[in-house]
Amino acid sequence: MPSDEATIAGWGRVSAPGRELRSDDLVRLSDGATLSRGLGRSYGDSSLPPPSVRAVAGTVLGDRVLGFDPATGRLRAEAGLSLDALTRMLLPRGWFVPVTPGTAFVTLGGMVAADVHGKNHHVDGCFGAHVKSLRLRVADGRIVDCAPDREGELFRATIGGMGLTGHILEVAFRMTRVPSPWILGESVRAMGIDALLAELEQSSAAWPFTVAWVDGLGRGAGLGRGIVHRGRWADPSEALASAPAPPRSVRVPFDLPAGTLNRATVGLFNAALYHRHRGYVRRRVQSPHRFFHPLDRLADWYRLYGRRGLTQHQSVIPQERGPAAVRGLLELLARRRACVPLCVIKNCGDEGAGTLSFPRRGTSVAIDLPIDDRTQGLVDALNERVMELGGRIYLAKDAFTRAEHFRAMEPRLARWTAVRRRWDPELRLRSAQSVRMLGDPA
């Protein structure tokens, strides 16, 4: 989302006074900067400056590929390189990133800072699991190269550390060789949350990419009804002859009036989407752009939520809590008559190496919410339930979690804070989110 001289905003339209300073020299740009920011796709305030600061280091001009070994797939690039640019460059040559989030409009630095995950977490983990080394500018100005076996604590604290342990200058990781540039995908409809979670579990055992769209307004027997999507890279014999063209996006030209997205309109849309699928397995070869990044086809889609924007509550519920725990979250939404335009559920694999990485073995539930006067209370209620279940939330999506709730659900915080303080005792690196949730100086 573009920023001007007055404000900087996250993708959900949470904003702060300030502006981006940009340069293709990330070393010079980060000198004395409080925070680095990529393409601004974090939903909340994690890439916004703290109240006393009026500028952040915008990294998107530092986007050079510094090295690529086609024999091994190892790639080294500046932190401002976008996933979209990387895909356009290397997918036609048979390479793709090992892990992709739901949008291609993120930078490599942002992918590390948020330790992004995707539809294949149950198989391949987070992006950080594939990162080989990082080059950082830490708070005292030094340039530090770190890896699992070199300044390992700093390396692990940076993966998922939301940019608070150092300015990420360069990222080295291993790309994945793919048999074709197409995805063979299937989708199947499920009536109710128990059937959907069972279908998702079966699909995850057989397919590397799985995700479920859920009707967040379903009630009664239809609570949690939805569509499970699964896929894998198509073999050459299954793929189309030509490579998929990068998508053309359609812009949302204006903000929808307040209240356009409500339980009635969202309910009609969800019902149409669910019934249109019908009750059989649909199978097709499709573009990876469409499969991995469906919302990228609608540029500025946050405008559908009106001027106040949106937030997303994304939590992961431990596997041992079972389907009843996920059902409980959906029942909470139903009791509070929440408007949920989008709800996505994924299976997660083992916890990653990043000290504060989000996923753990269990079920991720991502719930989009229009921002209104009820949002804080709803997020509080969801977080209280997540705490009871032993789960946690994803910092890259958060704008409303209270500091005491985050501390209660994150037992790893003390270990991460100790590493951060060792490298930045004066807390020079901070964000609006770290002020809100970690008690950093404003």
Side-chain angles (χ1 to χ4, degrees), residues 310-332:
L310 75 147
T311 189
Q312 186 181 100
H313 184 275
Q314 184 169 4
S315 62
V316 60
I317 307 304
Q319 185 179 47
E320 58 269 22
R321 292 293 186 171
V326 179
R327 171 183 284 275
L329 286 182
L330 299 180
E331 289 172 340
L332 186 156

Side-chain angles (χ1 to χ4, degrees), residues 193 196 212-217 224-227 270 330 342-345:
I193 188 60
L196 182 132
W213 167 83
V214 175
D215 180 358
L217 299 185
R225 67 181 181 177
I227 300 168
N270 286 356
L330 299 180
L342 181 65
C343 180
V344 174
I345 292 179

Side-chain angles (χ1 to χ4, degrees), residues 392-405:
R392 56 188 181 230
I393 56 101
Y394 190 21
L395 290 175
K397 303 293 181 66
D398 183 71
F400 289 90
T401 292
R402 299 183 188 275
E404 59 269 26
H405 287 169

Side-chain angles (χ1 to χ4, degrees), residues 102-137:
T103 176
F105 299 114
V106 291
T107 62
L108 292 181
M111 290 172 69
V112 172
D115 198 14
V116 298
H117 60 282
K119 296 177 175 66
N120 60 337
H121 188 272
H122 62 290
V123 174
D124 292 315
C126 294
F127 182 66
H130 306 271
V131 174
K132 303 303 180 183
S133 65
L134 298 170
R135 173 162 287 183
L136 308 176
R137 183 170 197 150

Side-chain angles (χ1 to χ4, degrees), residues 213-217 225 266-275 340-341:
W213 167 83
V214 175
D215 180 358
L217 299 185
R225 67 181 181 177
V266 172
L268 289 172
F269 176 83
N270 286 356
L273 187 61
Y274 176 78
H275 290 293
V340 182

